[in-house]
Amino acid sequence: MDHKRKPGRPALPPSGDMTAPTPADIRAVRKAAALSQTAAGALCHRSLRAWQDAEAGTRNIDAAAWEIFLLRTGQHPTYKLVKRSSR
């Protein structure tokens, strides 16, 4: 059985206000964060090549990486990260 993701299959299931990002969405969010492709990939533990492929539409960005990126850049539509206070 082939478990590879089929081309065009969404990286995020439609639920609530989160939908699978298009390559244009990925590029726009990265640019809004003023990050290079290298920095964007590193922020969510992905390689430069993986990020470039996601922006080109030849690879889907996985849901976890996309949500981490949105959270770390303060662009998640529902949640935000809050730094813990030092004890």
Side-chain angles (χ1 to χ4, degrees):
M1 179 183 280
D2 184 11
H3 288 31
K4 292 182 182 177
R5 182 178 299 173
K6 303 278 190 246
R9 183 173 173 198
L12 291 173
S15 63
D17 51 11
M18 288 296 293
T19 57
T22 66
D25 293 334
I26 296 166
R27 189 174 310 105
V29 170
R30 173 182 62 81
K31 288 185 176 186
L35 295 172
S36 67
Q37 289 179 324
T38 301
L43 200 60
C44 58
H45 308 284
R46 297 298 177 267
S47 67
L48 169 60
R49 171 62 78 170
W51 194 270
Q52 289 171 329
D53 288 350
E55 283 194 14
T58 57
R59 180 189 297 189
N60 290 326
I61 191 166
D62 63 274
W66 183 239
E67 287 212 78
I68 288 170
F69 184 77
L70 293 174
L71 286 166
R72 293 188 79 185
T73 60
Q75 298 182 77
H76 195 283
T78 307
Y79 301 105
K80 69 177 185 175
L81 292 177
V82 178
K83 187 174 182 176
R84 293 181 192 202
S85 59
S86 58
R87 294 180 186 197

